[in-house]
C-alpha cells in the first residue's frame, strides 16, 4: 500500500536472478492503421450501435503502427527485459503486413528489449468464425508464416490470449466481438481455440521455435457464502473460467463431463491440445465472488449477465476499486498461484504472469503504483511458497482502446492524448523504472 505521500513504504523484495520483467499490449488496442489491414471481427462489432461505451472504434487508437519507434524508446527507457505485443492476423493477411512486425522486432532487439509476441489477441479476421473447426487449421498456417519470418529474433511465443474471455464475452454473452449470445452453445468456440492452440504449438516447433506458452486469464473464485447453492455455483464458475482452459492443456482432459459437449473427435483433439508447454502464462486482475443463480439479469463490472447461467456474479466488498469498479485484491494473486500449483502439481510448467494492471485516470497515478506494488509483493509471496514463477508483465505500456469500454479506461504506464498522440510517462512509469533498476 502507498503511504500518504504515495510512496510505497519499502523497496520491493528481491526477485530471483533472471526473472523476466516486461509490459504488455495488444495489436487491436494500440496499432490503428486499420486501412492497412483486413477487417477484424472487432471492426464490424464496434460499427454496431451502442456496443462501445464512447461510440469509438480502434481505427486510429495509439497509431502505434506509425509511431512504434517512439514506443520502443519508451520501452527502452523503462528498462524492461521484454515486451509482450500481439501480431494482428488481419494485418498479416494484408500485403506487406508482416513487414511491420519485422521492423518492430528488429527495433526491439536493437533497443535490448526481447520480443514476446502473442499470435491471437481477439482480433479474428472478419471472414473467419471460431464456430468453424477449420479456423483452427487456418490459425496454424498463419502461425507458420509468422514463425518463419520472425522466429530468429523472438524470445518467447504466446499462442492465444484469454480464450476464456473471448469465448464468454464474445460468443456466450455478446458484449465483445463478434457479439454472439450463444450461452452454452459457445462451447465449440472454446474447443476450437484450444485446438488452434495445440496446432500452433506444433507449427511453432516445426518452424524451430522454442519457449512457447499461452496467456490464460485466471482468478480465485470465492463462493458468496457457505450455503450449498452458492458453493455449487462457485464450482460451476471455476470450471468454466479456470479449469475449462487449463485442464485440457495440463491434464489432457476436460473437467466435469464438458468433453462430451464438445464437437469432433475430442480424444484425438486432446492429444493435440495437450502438447507440452515450456511455460504457462496467467493474466490476473481480480477474484470473482459467485453466488447461486437468480431469475433476473444481473450486472457486474459493466457486464450484463443474463439469467439462465448456473451462477451469478456478486460484488466483492471491503476492498478499494479501480476506475473499472474491479476490486484491488493483491492476495488473490498469491492464492491463485499457490492454488494452481496445488491443483496441477508437476503438470504445471514454470509460470509467467503475462498481464496484471488497473484502470485509473491521471498522470500522478499513485493508485496504480499502490496496485502494482501490492501485486508484486503478493507475487513474491507465491515465489516464497515455492511456486515457480519466471516473469511478470504489466498491463499495459500505453493507455489504449479498452474493447467495449472504448477510450474510457486508462491502463497505461504512459498516458496517451488521443487528439495529438502525445505520450507522457505517468508517475507509475517512473516508479516501475526505479523498481526494475533496484532489482538489477
Ligand atoms: C485483456 C486485455 C484487456 C485487459 C483489461 C485482459 O482481459 O487481455 O486486452 O485490455 O484485460 O481489461
Amino acid at each position: 500500500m502507498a503511504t500518504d505521500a504515495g510512496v510505497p513504504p519499502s523497496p520491493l523484495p528481491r526477485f530471483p536472478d533472471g526473472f523476466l520483467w516486461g509490459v504488455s499490449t495488444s495489436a487491436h488496442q494500440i496499432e490503428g492503421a486499420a486501412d492497412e489491414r483486413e477487417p477484424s471481427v472487432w471492426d464490424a462489432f464496434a460499427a454496431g450501435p451502442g456496443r462501445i461505451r464512447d461510440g469509438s472504434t480502434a481505427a486510429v487508437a495509439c497509431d502505434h503502427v506509425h509511431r512504434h519507434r517512439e514506443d520502443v524508446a519508451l520501452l527502452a527507457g523503462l528498462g524492461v527485459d521484454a515486451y509482450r505485443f500481439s501480431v494482428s492476423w488481419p494485418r498479416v493477411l494484408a500485403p506487406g503486413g508482416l513487414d511491420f512486425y519485422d521492423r518492430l522486432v528488429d527495433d526491439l532487439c536493437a533497443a535490448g528489449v526481447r520480443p514476446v509476441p502473442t499470435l491471437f489477441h481477439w482480433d479474428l479476421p472478419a471472414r473467419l468464425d471460431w464456430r468453424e473447426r477449420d479456423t483452427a487449421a487456418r490459425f496454424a498456417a498463419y502461425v507458420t508464416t509468422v514463425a518463419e519470418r520472425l522466429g530468429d529474433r523472438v524470445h518467447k511465443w504466446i499462442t492465444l490470449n484469454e480464450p476464456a474471455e473471448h469465448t464468454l464475452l464474445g460468443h456466450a454473452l455478446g458484449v465483445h466481438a463478434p457479439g454472439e449470445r450463444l450461452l452454452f452453445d459457445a462451447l465449440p468456440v472454446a474447443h476450437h481455440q484450444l485446438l488452434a492452440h495445440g496446432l500452433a504449438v506444433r507449427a511453432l516447433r516445426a518452424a524451430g521455435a522454442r519457449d512457447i506458452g499461452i496467456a490464460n486469464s485466471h482468478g480465485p473464485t470465492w463462493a458468496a457464502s457457505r450455503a450449498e447453492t452458492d458453493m455449487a455455483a462457485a464450482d460451476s464458475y471455476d470450471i468454466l473460467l479456470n479449469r475449462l482452459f487449463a485442464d485440457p492443456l495440463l491434464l489432457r482432459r476436460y473437467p466435469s463431463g464438458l468433453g462430451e459437449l464438445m464437437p469432433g473427435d475430442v480424444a484425438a483433439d486432446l492429444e493435440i491440445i495437450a502438447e507440452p508447454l515450456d511455460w504457462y502464462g496467467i493474466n490476473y486482475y481480480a477474484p470473482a465472488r459467485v453466488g447461486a443463480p437468480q431469475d433476473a439479469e444481473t450486472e457486474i463490472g459493466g457486464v450484463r449477465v443474463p439469467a439462465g447461467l448456473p451462477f451469478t456474479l456478486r460484488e466483492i466488498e471491503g476492498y478499494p476499486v479501480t476506475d473499472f469498479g474491479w476490486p484491488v485484491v493483491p492476495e488473490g494473486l498469491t492464492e491463485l498461484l499457490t492454488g494452481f500449483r496445488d491443483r496441477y502439481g508437476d503438470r504445471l510448467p514454470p509460470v509467467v504472469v503475462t498481464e496484471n494492471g488497473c484502470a485509473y485516470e491521471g498522470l500522478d497515478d499513485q493508485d496504480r503504483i499502490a496496485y502494482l506494488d501490492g501485486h508484486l509483493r503478493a507475487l513474491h509471496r507465491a515465489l516464497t511458497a515455492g511456486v515457480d514463477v519466471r516473469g511478470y508483465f504489466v498491463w499495459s505500456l500505453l493507455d489504449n482502446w479498452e474493447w467495449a469500454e472504448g477510450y474510457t479506461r486508462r491502463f497505461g504506464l504512459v498516458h496517451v492524448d488521443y487528439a495529438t498522440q502525445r505520450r507522457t510517462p505517468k508517475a507509475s512509469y517512473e516508479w516501475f523504472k526505479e523498481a526494475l533498476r533496484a532489482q538489477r
Side-chain angles (χ1 to χ4, degrees), residues 25-26 29 84 121-122 161-162 165 169 176 215 217 283 285 324 326 355 357-359 395-396 400-403 405 409 411:
T25 63
S26 94
Q29 294 177 272
R84 175 181 172 227
H121 197 127
W122 302 351
N161 179 73
E162 298 192 356
E165 263 63 24
L169 300 177
H176 276 189
S217 63
N283 296 353
Y285 287 90
F324 221 139
W326 298 352
E355 280 182 32
C358 49
W395 181 272
S396 177
N400 58 52
W401 194 71
E402 176 54 33
W403 308 113
E405 301 291 314
R409 307 288 182 210
F411 276 88

Side-chain angles (χ1 to χ4, degrees), residues 115-132:
V116 180
T118 304
L119 291 154
F120 178 71
H121 197 127
W122 302 351
D123 49 349
L124 190 72
R127 56 183 152 109
L128 298 180
D129 188 330
W130 282 118
R131 282 175 297 184
E132 307 292 333

